[in-house]
Amino acid sequence: HWLTAAHCVAKSDGVVSDTPFYVHGVLAIPIHIDVARDLAVLKADAHYPALSMRLKPLAWGMKMRIVGKPLGFAHFIITTGLVANPVYRAFRQPYMLFDAVACSGHSGSPVLDDEGKVGSVLQIGVGAGPCYPLSGGATYDQMLTVRKYFTPQR
């Protein structure tokens, strides 16, 4: 399964659909879409390495990394930073705030801890321009709602 932001599976008109579609040349089938929490779980027959989900929340000051393909880059880009606020409120939603730079197209990327475990999913950039000085992702409570689709590893 792939975990991403729900707005990443929206069509160009902004409507989120459970219709299968292609991502990086791989057929992806939405199996869970939570628009309110901006999270989606996709089933895909891809040969990417599996990442484990954290069993504990990311805490203030922890090192983190965002791994993604922003701005249409062909290769993965890794940006690093710290958890700036584990429960930041913006647009009437709770987010986990990071001081890592995120660019357009980073949405849905995994946010990893020092051990390479997924602690969040990138959902918003805070600032102006194609790249943002701050970024926000799903809170620990939001991540718990999709954990049942994955087998946690210790």
Side-chain angles (χ1 to χ4, degrees):
H1 293 95
W2 283 348
L3 178 61
T4 189
H7 74 267
C8 292
V9 300
K11 297 178 185 176
S12 59
D13 60 4
V15 175
V16 176
S17 170
D18 59 359
T19 304
F21 61 98
Y22 284 90
V23 178
H24 304 297
V26 176
L27 182 64
I29 302 166
I31 60 171
H32 174 78
I33 298 174
D34 186 337
V35 175
R37 291 184 178 95
D38 196 18
L39 291 172
V41 179
L42 310 175
K43 182 177 181 178
D45 188 19
H47 302 287
Y48 291 109
L51 299 174
S52 299
M53 290 181 73
R54 278 184 60 86
L55 299 177
K56 298 178 182 176
L58 290 169
W60 181 86
M62 286 183 74
K63 292 180 184 177
M64 46 68 64
R65 295 170 185 80
I66 301 169
V67 181
K69 291 185 175 184
L71 302 171
F73 291 151
H75 301 286
F76 285 97
I77 303 296
I78 300 172
T79 59
T80 61
L82 300 173
V83 175
N85 188 338
V87 186
Y88 171 78
R89 294 200 71 78
F91 312 110
R92 298 185 186 151
Q93 279 287 112
Y95 292 98
M96 188 175 298
L97 191 65
F98 313 109
D99 71 355
V101 172
C103 298
S104 180
H106 253 135
S107 288
S109 297
V111 177
L112 309 177
D113 66 8
D114 266 352
E115 297 176 355
K117 293 184 179 178
V118 179
S120 185
V121 173
L122 196 73
Q123 297 171 319
I124 63 169
V126 181
C131 292
Y132 311 100
L134 295 172
S135 50
T139 65
Y140 182 70
D141 289 342
Q142 291 168 327
M143 294 293 285
L144 288 176
T145 66
V146 295
R147 185 166 297 216
K148 64 184 174 189
Y149 295 99
F150 301 91
T151 304
Q153 299 175 6
R154 294 182 189 261

mmCIF file of all heavy atoms in Angstrom, residues 3-46:
data_model
loop_
_atom_site.group_PDB
_atom_site.id
_atom_site.type_symbol
_atom_site.label_atom_id
_atom_site.label_comp_id
_atom_site.label_asym_id
_atom_site.label_seq_id
_atom_site.Cartn_x
_atom_site.Cartn_y
_atom_site.Cartn_z
ATOM 1 N N LEU A 3 0.757 5.353 1.103
ATOM 2 C CA LEU A 3 0.079 6.378 1.886
ATOM 3 C C LEU A 3 0.439 7.717 1.281
ATOM 4 O O LEU A 3 1.605 7.997 1.007
ATOM 5 C CB LEU A 3 0.536 6.305 3.342
ATOM 6 C CG LEU A 3 -0.029 7.331 4.304
ATOM 7 C CD1 LEU A 3 -1.547 7.220 4.390
ATOM 8 C CD2 LEU A 3 0.598 7.165 5.678
ATOM 9 N N THR A 4 -0.564 8.557 1.044
ATOM 10 C CA THR A 4 -0.328 9.867 0.440
ATOM 11 C C THR A 4 -1.367 10.859 0.964
ATOM 12 O O THR A 4 -2.211 10.510 1.784
ATOM 13 C CB THR A 4 -0.367 9.763 -1.111
ATOM 14 O OG1 THR A 4 0.072 10.996 -1.671
ATOM 15 C CG2 THR A 4 -1.748 9.414 -1.624
ATOM 16 N N ALA A 5 -1.297 12.078 0.496
ATOM 17 C CA ALA A 5 -2.304 13.089 0.836
ATOM 18 C C ALA A 5 -3.500 12.908 -0.092
ATOM 19 O O ALA A 5 -3.331 12.653 -1.282
ATOM 20 C CB ALA A 5 -1.713 14.488 0.683
ATOM 21 N N ALA A 6 -4.709 13.043 0.445
ATOM 22 C CA ALA A 6 -5.926 12.848 -0.357
ATOM 23 C C ALA A 6 -5.988 13.844 -1.513
ATOM 24 O O ALA A 6 -6.441 13.499 -2.601
ATOM 25 C CB ALA A 6 -7.174 12.962 0.514
ATOM 26 N N HIS A 7 -5.509 15.073 -1.297
ATOM 27 C CA HIS A 7 -5.589 16.044 -2.399
ATOM 28 C C HIS A 7 -4.681 15.647 -3.565
ATOM 29 O O HIS A 7 -4.843 16.146 -4.673
ATOM 30 C CB HIS A 7 -5.315 17.475 -1.913
ATOM 31 C CG HIS A 7 -3.894 17.783 -1.603
ATOM 32 N ND1 HIS A 7 -3.361 17.664 -0.332
ATOM 33 C CD2 HIS A 7 -2.887 18.211 -2.393
ATOM 34 C CE1 HIS A 7 -2.101 18.016 -0.354
ATOM 35 N NE2 HIS A 7 -1.775 18.352 -1.601
ATOM 36 N N CYS A 8 -3.762 14.717 -3.355
ATOM 37 C CA CYS A 8 -2.902 14.238 -4.446
ATOM 38 C C CYS A 8 -3.642 13.293 -5.389
ATOM 39 O O CYS A 8 -3.206 13.076 -6.511
ATOM 40 C CB CYS A 8 -1.678 13.515 -3.890
ATOM 41 S SG CYS A 8 -0.546 14.610 -3.040
ATOM 42 N N VAL A 9 -4.754 12.725 -4.938
ATOM 43 C CA VAL A 9 -5.525 11.824 -5.797
ATOM 44 C C VAL A 9 -6.743 12.530 -6.390
ATOM 45 O O VAL A 9 -7.570 11.897 -7.036
ATOM 46 C CB VAL A 9 -5.945 10.524 -5.067
ATOM 47 C CG1 VAL A 9 -4.729 9.770 -4.586
ATOM 48 C CG2 VAL A 9 -6.882 10.799 -3.912
ATOM 49 N N ALA A 10 -6.807 13.832 -6.192
ATOM 50 C CA ALA A 10 -7.916 14.604 -6.753
ATOM 51 C C ALA A 10 -7.693 14.831 -8.245
ATOM 52 O O ALA A 10 -6.567 14.962 -8.709
ATOM 53 C CB ALA A 10 -8.045 15.950 -6.042
ATOM 54 N N LYS A 11 -8.776 14.873 -8.981
ATOM 55 C CA LYS A 11 -8.702 15.181 -10.408
ATOM 56 C C LYS A 11 -8.448 16.678 -10.579
ATOM 57 O O LYS A 11 -8.471 17.441 -9.618
ATOM 58 C CB LYS A 11 -10.017 14.785 -11.088
ATOM 59 C CG LYS A 11 -10.303 13.301 -11.033
ATOM 60 C CD LYS A 11 -11.641 13.016 -11.675
ATOM 61 C CE LYS A 11 -12.008 11.563 -11.518
ATOM 62 N NZ LYS A 11 -13.338 11.285 -12.042
ATOM 63 N N SER A 12 -8.244 17.108 -11.803
ATOM 64 C CA SER A 12 -7.938 18.517 -12.055
ATOM 65 C C SER A 12 -9.061 19.446 -11.603
ATOM 66 O O SER A 12 -8.830 20.611 -11.311
ATOM 67 C CB SER A 12 -7.645 18.737 -13.536
ATOM 68 O OG SER A 12 -8.754 18.338 -14.315
ATOM 69 N N ASP A 13 -10.295 18.924 -11.504
ATOM 70 C CA ASP A 13 -11.404 19.757 -11.050
ATOM 71 C C ASP A 13 -11.533 19.780 -9.524
ATOM 72 O O ASP A 13 -12.463 20.349 -8.981
ATOM 73 C CB ASP A 13 -12.726 19.304 -11.687
ATOM 74 C CG ASP A 13 -13.090 17.865 -11.347
ATOM 75 O OD1 ASP A 13 -12.361 17.215 -10.558
ATOM 76 O OD2 ASP A 13 -14.108 17.386 -11.874
ATOM 77 N N GLY A 14 -10.592 19.108 -8.836
ATOM 78 C CA GLY A 14 -10.591 19.095 -7.379
ATOM 79 C C GLY A 14 -11.416 17.991 -6.757
ATOM 80 O O GLY A 14 -11.426 17.822 -5.548
ATOM 81 N N VAL A 15 -12.110 17.204 -7.566
ATOM 82 C CA VAL A 15 -12.941 16.111 -7.048
ATOM 83 C C VAL A 15 -12.071 14.893 -6.760
ATOM 84 O O VAL A 15 -11.279 14.470 -7.605
ATOM 85 C CB VAL A 15 -14.049 15.741 -8.064
ATOM 86 C CG1 VAL A 15 -14.834 14.539 -7.577
ATOM 87 C CG2 VAL A 15 -14.963 16.927 -8.299
ATOM 88 N N VAL A 16 -12.195 14.355 -5.549
ATOM 89 C CA VAL A 16 -11.471 13.148 -5.178
ATOM 90 C C VAL A 16 -12.308 11.956 -5.607
ATOM 91 O O VAL A 16 -13.494 11.880 -5.320
ATOM 92 C CB VAL A 16 -11.195 13.110 -3.662
ATOM 93 C CG1 VAL A 16 -10.523 11.815 -3.265
ATOM 94 C CG2 VAL A 16 -10.338 14.297 -3.252
ATOM 95 N N SER A 17 -11.670 11.013 -6.294
ATOM 96 C CA SER A 17 -12.387 9.877 -6.841
ATOM 97 C C SER A 17 -11.715 8.573 -6.419
ATOM 98 O O SER A 17 -10.521 8.538 -6.160
ATOM 99 C CB SER A 17 -12.396 9.967 -8.374
ATOM 100 O OG SER A 17 -12.877 8.778 -8.936
ATOM 101 N N ASP A 18 -12.502 7.502 -6.346
ATOM 102 C CA ASP A 18 -11.921 6.197 -6.046
ATOM 103 C C ASP A 18 -11.619 5.417 -7.326
ATOM 104 O O ASP A 18 -11.400 4.220 -7.314
ATOM 105 C CB ASP A 18 -12.825 5.395 -5.119
ATOM 106 C CG ASP A 18 -14.214 5.144 -5.704
ATOM 107 O OD1 ASP A 18 -14.483 5.621 -6.826
ATOM 108 O OD2 ASP A 18 -15.006 4.475 -5.037
ATOM 109 N N THR A 19 -11.583 6.103 -8.462
ATOM 110 C CA THR A 19 -11.267 5.495 -9.747
ATOM 111 C C THR A 19 -9.765 5.198 -9.822
ATOM 112 O O THR A 19 -8.949 6.058 -9.475
ATOM 113 C CB THR A 19 -11.645 6.448 -10.896
ATOM 114 O OG1 THR A 19 -13.019 6.797 -10.768
ATOM 115 C CG2 THR A 19 -11.396 5.805 -12.247
ATOM 116 N N PRO A 20 -9.367 3.985 -10.255
ATOM 117 C CA PRO A 20 -7.931 3.688 -10.406
ATOM 118 C C PRO A 20 -7.257 4.660 -11.377
ATOM 119 O O PRO A 20 -7.882 5.153 -12.316
ATOM 120 C CB PRO A 20 -7.923 2.269 -10.974
ATOM 121 C CG PRO A 20 -9.235 1.685 -10.549
ATOM 122 C CD PRO A 20 -10.203 2.832 -10.564
ATOM 123 N N PHE A 21 -5.988 4.939 -11.152
ATOM 124 C CA PHE A 21 -5.229 5.845 -12.005
ATOM 125 C C PHE A 21 -3.760 5.426 -11.966
ATOM 126 O O PHE A 21 -3.367 4.575 -11.171
ATOM 127 C CB PHE A 21 -5.409 7.299 -11.556
ATOM 128 C CG PHE A 21 -4.941 7.567 -10.156
ATOM 129 C CD1 PHE A 21 -3.689 8.103 -9.922
ATOM 130 C CD2 PHE A 21 -5.754 7.265 -9.071
ATOM 131 C CE1 PHE A 21 -3.250 8.334 -8.625
ATOM 132 C CE2 PHE A 21 -5.330 7.492 -7.766
ATOM 133 C CZ PHE A 21 -4.066 8.028 -7.549
ATOM 134 N N TYR A 22 -2.963 6.028 -12.827
ATOM 135 C CA TYR A 22 -1.539 5.688 -12.886
ATOM 136 C C TYR A 22 -0.688 6.723 -12.164
ATOM 137 O O TYR A 22 -0.889 7.920 -12.311
ATOM 138 C CB TYR A 22 -1.070 5.563 -14.342
ATOM 139 C CG TYR A 22 -1.521 4.263 -14.962
ATOM 140 C CD1 TYR A 22 -2.741 4.170 -15.614
ATOM 141 C CD2 TYR A 22 -0.733 3.120 -14.854
ATOM 142 C CE1 TYR A 22 -3.169 2.968 -16.164
ATOM 143 C CE2 TYR A 22 -1.146 1.910 -15.393
ATOM 144 C CZ TYR A 22 -2.355 1.840 -16.046
ATOM 145 O OH TYR A 22 -2.778 0.662 -16.575
ATOM 146 N N VAL A 23 0.270 6.234 -11.356
ATOM 147 C CA VAL A 23 1.232 7.071 -10.655
ATOM 148 C C VAL A 23 2.615 6.539 -11.017
ATOM 149 O O VAL A 23 2.903 5.367 -10.765
ATOM 150 C CB VAL A 23 1.042 6.995 -9.124
ATOM 151 C CG1 VAL A 23 2.084 7.842 -8.412
ATOM 152 C CG2 VAL A 23 -0.349 7.392 -8.714
ATOM 153 N N HIS A 24 3.445 7.366 -11.608
ATOM 154 C CA HIS A 24 4.793 6.944 -12.022
ATOM 155 C C HIS A 24 4.744 5.643 -12.823
ATOM 156 O O HIS A 24 5.564 4.749 -12.645
ATOM 157 C CB HIS A 24 5.726 6.791 -10.816
ATOM 158 C CG HIS A 24 5.834 8.018 -9.983
ATOM 159 N ND1 HIS A 24 6.350 9.206 -10.460
ATOM 160 C CD2 HIS A 24 5.466 8.271 -8.704
ATOM 161 C CE1 HIS A 24 6.312 10.116 -9.512
ATOM 162 N NE2 HIS A 24 5.775 9.580 -8.443
ATOM 163 N N GLY A 25 3.730 5.502 -13.684
ATOM 164 C CA GLY A 25 3.613 4.326 -14.539
ATOM 165 C C GLY A 25 3.054 3.089 -13.864
ATOM 166 O O GLY A 25 3.051 2.006 -14.444
ATOM 167 N N VAL A 26 2.580 3.216 -12.629
ATOM 168 C CA VAL A 26 2.045 2.082 -11.870
ATOM 169 C C VAL A 26 0.558 2.322 -11.610
ATOM 170 O O VAL A 26 0.168 3.411 -11.195
ATOM 171 C CB VAL A 26 2.799 1.920 -10.529
ATOM 172 C CG1 VAL A 26 2.195 0.814 -9.690
ATOM 173 C CG2 VAL A 26 4.278 1.681 -10.762
ATOM 174 N N LEU A 27 -0.269 1.299 -11.852
ATOM 175 C CA LEU A 27 -1.700 1.421 -11.588
ATOM 176 C C LEU A 27 -1.942 1.478 -10.083
ATOM 177 O O LEU A 27 -1.514 0.596 -9.339
ATOM 178 C CB LEU A 27 -2.463 0.231 -12.187
ATOM 179 C CG LEU A 27 -3.981 0.276 -12.019
ATOM 180 C CD1 LEU A 27 -4.567 1.471 -12.776
ATOM 181 C CD2 LEU A 27 -4.610 -1.016 -12.516
ATOM 182 N N ALA A 28 -2.607 2.524 -9.620
ATOM 183 C CA ALA A 28 -2.912 2.720 -8.202
ATOM 184 C C ALA A 28 -4.428 2.701 -8.014
ATOM 185 O O ALA A 28 -5.155 3.372 -8.740
ATOM 186 C CB ALA A 28 -2.336 4.042 -7.714
ATOM 187 N N ILE A 29 -4.879 1.927 -7.036
ATOM 188 C CA ILE A 29 -6.304 1.809 -6.740
ATOM 189 C C ILE A 29 -6.560 2.378 -5.346
ATOM 190 O O ILE A 29 -6.046 1.846 -4.358
ATOM 191 C CB ILE A 29 -6.757 0.338 -6.796
ATOM 192 C CG1 ILE A 29 -6.448 -0.243 -8.178
ATOM 193 C CG2 ILE A 29 -8.235 0.212 -6.450
ATOM 194 C CD1 ILE A 29 -6.533 -1.749 -8.242
ATOM 195 N N PRO A 30 -7.313 3.466 -5.236
ATOM 196 C CA PRO A 30 -7.625 4.014 -3.908
ATOM 197 C C PRO A 30 -8.465 3.022 -3.094
ATOM 198 O O PRO A 30 -9.479 2.530 -3.576
ATOM 199 C CB PRO A 30 -8.426 5.282 -4.214
ATOM 200 C CG PRO A 30 -8.060 5.637 -5.624
ATOM 201 C CD PRO A 30 -7.820 4.320 -6.310
ATOM 202 N N ILE A 31 -8.008 2.700 -1.875
ATOM 203 C CA ILE A 31 -8.780 1.802 -1.011
ATOM 204 C C ILE A 31 -9.304 2.519 0.226
ATOM 205 O O ILE A 31 -10.183 2.013 0.903
ATOM 206 C CB ILE A 31 -7.983 0.549 -0.607
ATOM 207 C CG1 ILE A 31 -6.712 0.917 0.149
ATOM 208 C CG2 ILE A 31 -7.660 -0.301 -1.821
ATOM 209 C CD1 ILE A 31 -6.016 -0.287 0.752
ATOM 210 N N HIS A 32 -8.768 3.705 0.508
ATOM 211 C CA HIS A 32 -9.271 4.511 1.627
ATOM 212 C C HIS A 32 -8.936 5.966 1.329
ATOM 213 O O HIS A 32 -7.778 6.301 1.108
ATOM 214 C CB HIS A 32 -8.613 4.079 2.941
ATOM 215 C CG HIS A 32 -8.988 4.957 4.097
ATOM 216 N ND1 HIS A 32 -10.189 4.861 4.738
ATOM 217 C CD2 HIS A 32 -8.312 5.958 4.702
ATOM 218 C CE1 HIS A 32 -10.235 5.765 5.718
ATOM 219 N NE2 HIS A 32 -9.113 6.436 5.702
ATOM 220 N N ILE A 33 -9.952 6.809 1.313
ATOM 221 C CA ILE A 33 -9.744 8.249 1.108
ATOM 222 C C ILE A 33 -10.462 8.992 2.222
ATOM 223 O O ILE A 33 -11.658 8.823 2.428
ATOM 224 C CB ILE A 33 -10.275 8.718 -0.266
ATOM 225 C CG1 ILE A 33 -9.523 8.006 -1.389
ATOM 226 C CG2 ILE A 33 -10.138 10.225 -0.397
ATOM 227 C CD1 ILE A 33 -10.068 8.297 -2.768
ATOM 228 N N ASP A 34 -9.706 9.798 2.961
ATOM 229 C CA ASP A 34 -10.254 10.602 4.045
ATOM 230 C C ASP A 34 -9.950 12.065 3.714
ATOM 231 O O ASP A 34 -8.870 12.568 4.018
ATOM 232 C CB ASP A 34 -9.611 10.189 5.371
ATOM 233 C CG ASP A 34 -10.235 10.887 6.565
ATOM 234 O OD1 ASP A 34 -10.843 11.973 6.394
ATOM 235 O OD2 ASP A 34 -10.110 10.349 7.683
ATOM 236 N N VAL A 35 -10.906 12.716 3.065
ATOM 237 C CA VAL A 35 -10.715 14.103 2.624
ATOM 238 C C VAL A 35 -10.553 15.037 3.820
ATOM 239 O O VAL A 35 -9.730 15.942 3.794
ATOM 240 C CB VAL A 35 -11.895 14.554 1.721
ATOM 241 C CG1 VAL A 35 -11.771 16.019 1.352
ATOM 242 C CG2 VAL A 35 -11.958 13.689 0.474
ATOM 243 N N ALA A 36 -11.306 14.800 4.900
ATOM 244 C CA ALA A 36 -11.241 15.676 6.072
ATOM 245 C C ALA A 36 -9.847 15.681 6.691
ATOM 246 O O ALA A 36 -9.373 16.718 7.152
ATOM 247 C CB ALA A 36 -12.278 15.242 7.111
ATOM 248 N N ARG A 37 -9.184 14.539 6.699
ATOM 249 C CA ARG A 37 -7.822 14.444 7.264
ATOM 250 C C ARG A 37 -6.752 14.557 6.185
ATOM 251 O O ARG A 37 -5.566 14.492 6.480
ATOM 252 C CB ARG A 37 -7.664 13.133 8.021
ATOM 253 C CG ARG A 37 -8.485 13.065 9.282
ATOM 254 C CD ARG A 37 -8.196 11.770 10.036
ATOM 255 N NE ARG A 37 -8.953 11.718 11.268
ATOM 256 C CZ ARG A 37 -10.132 11.114 11.390
ATOM 257 N NH1 ARG A 37 -10.677 10.499 10.367
ATOM 258 N NH2 ARG A 37 -10.756 11.103 12.551
ATOM 259 N N ASP A 38 -7.170 14.679 4.920
ATOM 260 C CA ASP A 38 -6.255 14.786 3.777
ATOM 261 C C ASP A 38 -5.283 13.608 3.710
ATOM 262 O O ASP A 38 -4.088 13.777 3.512
ATOM 263 C CB ASP A 38 -5.494 16.116 3.795
ATOM 264 C CG ASP A 38 -4.831 16.425 2.445
ATOM 265 O OD1 ASP A 38 -5.223 15.808 1.429
ATOM 266 O OD2 ASP A 38 -3.915 17.255 2.417
ATOM 267 N N LEU A 39 -5.819 12.394 3.864
ATOM 268 C CA LEU A 39 -5.016 11.180 3.766
ATOM 269 C C LEU A 39 -5.679 10.196 2.814
ATOM 270 O O LEU A 39 -6.905 10.104 2.759
ATOM 271 C CB LEU A 39 -4.850 10.512 5.134
ATOM 272 C CG LEU A 39 -3.984 11.262 6.143
ATOM 273 C CD1 LEU A 39 -4.074 10.595 7.509
ATOM 274 C CD2 LEU A 39 -2.530 11.319 5.675
ATOM 275 N N ALA A 40 -4.861 9.461 2.071
ATOM 276 C CA ALA A 40 -5.373 8.435 1.167
ATOM 277 C C ALA A 40 -4.433 7.232 1.196
ATOM 278 O O ALA A 40 -3.217 7.390 1.303
ATOM 279 C CB ALA A 40 -5.493 8.963 -0.256
ATOM 280 N N VAL A 41 -5.019 6.050 1.111
ATOM 281 C CA VAL A 41 -4.254 4.811 1.025
ATOM 282 C C VAL A 41 -4.548 4.214 -0.344
ATOM 283 O O VAL A 41 -5.704 4.062 -0.730
ATOM 284 C CB VAL A 41 -4.649 3.819 2.143
ATOM 285 C CG1 VAL A 41 -3.854 2.527 2.007
ATOM 286 C CG2 VAL A 41 -4.441 4.451 3.511
ATOM 287 N N LEU A 42 -3.494 3.897 -1.080
ATOM 288 C CA LEU A 42 -3.617 3.345 -2.420
ATOM 289 C C LEU A 42 -3.028 1.937 -2.451
ATOM 290 O O LEU A 42 -2.025 1.669 -1.793
ATOM 291 C CB LEU A 42 -2.858 4.211 -3.434
ATOM 292 C CG LEU A 42 -3.115 5.709 -3.409
ATOM 293 C CD1 LEU A 42 -2.186 6.409 -4.385
ATOM 294 C CD2 LEU A 42 -4.566 6.007 -3.722
ATOM 295 N N LYS A 43 -3.647 1.072 -3.234
ATOM 296 C CA LYS A 43 -3.092 -0.259 -3.462
ATOM 297 C C LYS A 43 -2.405 -0.208 -4.817
ATOM 298 O O LYS A 43 -3.008 0.208 -5.810
ATOM 299 C CB LYS A 43 -4.187 -1.312 -3.459
ATOM 300 C CG LYS A 43 -3.664 -2.708 -3.634
ATOM 301 C CD LYS A 43 -4.784 -3.720 -3.546
ATOM 302 C CE LYS A 43 -4.206 -5.117 -3.707
ATOM 303 N NZ LYS A 43 -5.245 -6.135 -3.580
ATOM 304 N N ALA A 44 -1.139 -0.620 -4.865
ATOM 305 C CA ALA A 44 -0.386 -0.576 -6.108
ATOM 306 C C ALA A 44 0.585 -1.745 -6.158
ATOM 307 O O ALA A 44 1.169 -2.122 -5.139
ATOM 308 C CB ALA A 44 0.376 0.740 -6.217
ATOM 309 N N ASP A 45 0.731 -2.323 -7.309
ATOM 310 C CA ASP A 45 1.670 -3.413 -7.502
ATOM 311 C C ASP A 45 2.995 -2.816 -7.963
ATOM 312 O O ASP A 45 3.323 -2.807 -9.143
ATOM 313 C CB ASP A 45 1.128 -4.404 -8.534
ATOM 314 C CG ASP A 45 1.978 -5.662 -8.625
ATOM 315 O OD1 ASP A 45 2.752 -5.927 -7.676
ATOM 316 O OD2 ASP A 45 1.884 -6.362 -9.648
ATOM 317 N N ALA A 46 3.728 -2.271 -7.003
ATOM 318 C CA ALA A 46 4.988 -1.605 -7.314
ATOM 319 C C ALA A 46 6.111 -2.288 -6.546
ATOM 320 O O ALA A 46 5.886 -2.911 -5.508
ATOM 321 C CB ALA A 46 4.906 -0.141 -6.926
#
